[in-house]
Amino acid sequence: MQPAAAIVLVMLGCCSNVVFLEFLTKAHPGCGNLVTFSQFLFISVHGFLFTMRCGRESSKIPIREYVIMVGMFFASSVLNNYALNFGIPMPLHMIFKSGSLVANLLMGMVVLKRFYRKHKYIAVVLITLGIILCTLASQAVKNAKKADAAATVEQPAGLDRSSPVTLAVGAGVLTAALLLSARLGIFQEVLYKTHGKHAQQALFITHSLPLPGFLLLMPDIIHHARLFSESEAVLVGTLELPVPRLWLCLLCNVITQYVCISSVFRLTEQCTSLTVTLVVTLRKFVSLLFSIWYFANPFVAQHWVGSALVFAGTLLFTDPCGAFAPSGLIVEK
């Protein structure tokens, strides 16, 4: 798969996935565990049948490397959520999550001794600022309609959420999560260089290894599965079989998630971790704009400014006219 085709599939798959996810979460906001489990199960079964050929194909990369990869992903996810317990405001939380592009750039400089031309650094800053502005604007619109749900999160015993020390600890946890996530991207890039490009096997193993962990969440998963089954039925196919609407939305979400994540893994074979992070970051931005349009949410002046910054940063990063030739050559020391 060529990089251009992978990028198009990332955009189409991931953006449509967000639409189905929003339908599901609007119906049942706590259904995240069921959605995630369904995605992991589908990708694992698909990979076992078609990639691993029912166990006849062996892994080209040592399993211990995948264990490290899954561990880093799990740790970064846990740290991101745990930071909320230290009184981190949601806007600050979203700003940190929007800084993945900058974190990947810095981690590449530290770990791989990789340096870029100046226009790349400027582009990364512009894109990051643009996404931060749009994210904060969207959150402000939501807060005007409904109180921030994160304000109800209980803090651990003995912590004072108003304390600057507690806030600083939370910011440190978020920073660790951000850097760990960036390190994960670089780890994957180095892994492919060392053992060869095996994106589909990596997709299967990284989704099948965490499956036992969902046993801890099974009561919640079963609860929401029952709620999905109680949703109104729609007639599907020529036989007009009645299928609960939410299960149908979940199926569409799972399929589009597979298209999205498999295309991202394909992209890691062709591009550096910084480029992959750029594509994923822009995907989040496009999903945000599509959600605003599709669900008729307000598009305020701050959105326009943020969009302009992202557009300018993307043009500067890709340099389609070759104004900074040789375009974006990496200097490795």
Side-chain angles (χ1 to χ4, degrees):
M1 183 183 292
Q2 296 298 317
I7 292 173
V8 170
L9 288 176
V10 168
M11 293 297 178
L12 290 176
C14 298
C15 292
S16 55
N17 175 263
V18 169
V19 175
F20 291 114
L21 180 62
E22 192 151 354
F23 275 125
L24 294 172
T25 54
K26 279 193 172 183
H28 295 290
C31 67
N33 290 330
L34 173 60
V35 173
T36 306
F37 171 70
S38 302
Q39 293 171 350
F40 274 60
L41 182 62
F42 177 85
I43 293 173
S44 297
V45 172
H46 182 280
F48 181 74
L49 295 176
F50 299 103
T51 302
M52 308 306 291
R53 296 188 298 173
C54 298
R56 295 193 300 272
E57 186 79 19
S58 60
S59 176
K60 301 296 190 298
I61 299 176
I63 296 297
R64 66 176 180 273
E65 303 286 5
Y66 287 120
V67 172
I68 296 174
M69 187 186 301
V70 171
M72 293 171 69
F73 173 74
F74 178 79
S76 64
S77 300
V78 170
L79 288 174
N80 257 317
N81 294 327
Y82 187 63
L84 293 173
N85 291 336
F86 292 89
I88 293 292
M90 277 305 294
L92 181 59
H93 191 270
M94 289 184 292
I95 287 174
F96 268 89
K97 294 186 73 173
S98 300
S100 57
L101 201 54
V102 174
N104 188 277
L105 190 72
L106 296 175
M107 193 61 71
M109 294 169 59
V110 173
V111 177
L112 300 178
K113 308 300 180 185
R114 176 179 289 168
F115 302 91
Y116 298 84
R117 296 185 178 278
K118 290 182 180 179
H119 72 279
K120 295 281 187 179
Y121 295 101
I122 297 174
V124 165
V125 172
L126 289 177
I127 293 171
T128 302
L129 288 176
I131 292 176
I132 288 173
L133 281 175
C134 286
T135 304
L136 292 179
S138 296
Q139 185 64 26
V141 170
K142 288 182 180 180
N143 287 344
K145 297 178 179 179
K146 185 179 180 180
D148 190 3
T152 63
V153 175
E154 294 183 2
Q155 65 184 51
L159 282 181
D160 179 11
R161 284 186 77 164
S162 62
S163 169
V165 175
T166 302
L167 185 62
V169 172
V173 172
L174 275 181
T175 302
L178 190 64
L179 294 178
L180 189 59
S181 179
R183 184 66 181 88
L184 173 60
I186 293 175
F187 177 83
Q188 192 170 2
E189 180 184 341
V190 173
L191 199 64
Y192 286 158
K193 284 184 178 180
T194 305
H195 299 281
K197 300 173 180 178
H198 308 287
Q200 290 305 298
Q201 284 194 354
L203 180 66
F204 162 70
I205 295 175
T206 54
H207 282 76
S208 59
L209 282 180
L211 278 179
F214 285 101
L215 292 174
L216 301 174
L217 306 172
M218 199 52 63
D220 180 71
I221 292 173
I222 293 174
H223 169 68
H224 283 92
R226 289 172 179 166
L227 293 178
F228 276 31
S229 298
E230 294 170 358
S231 62
E232 66 272 21
V234 294
L235 301 178
V236 178
T238 55
L239 298 179
E240 296 188 346
L241 295 174
V243 178
R245 182 178 63 88
L246 291 182
W247 280 115
L248 193 60
C249 286
L250 180 62
L251 176 63
C252 294
N253 175 271
V254 166
I255 293 174
T256 53
Q257 173 67 11
Y258 173 76
V259 173
C260 169
I261 195 66
S262 62
S263 301
V264 170
F265 271 71
R266 287 290 190 188
L267 199 60
T268 60
E269 293 183 328
Q270 309 290 334
C271 308
T272 65
S273 59
L274 179 64
T275 303
V276 175
T277 305
L278 172 69
V279 173
V280 173
T281 303
L282 291 178
R283 187 277 302 171
K284 294 177 183 178
F285 173 72
V286 173
S287 297
L288 174 65
L289 295 186
F290 185 82
S291 176
I292 291 172
W293 169 77
Y294 190 83
F295 291 97
N297 293 319
F299 194 85
V300 299
Q302 196 170 328
H303 284 116
W304 285 108
V305 176
S307 300
L309 288 174
V310 172
F311 182 71
T314 303
L315 287 180
L316 190 59
F317 189 95
T318 56
D319 189 22
C321 300
F324 300 95
S327 178
L329 284 180
I330 300 173
V331 180
E332 295 187 353
K333 297 182 180 179

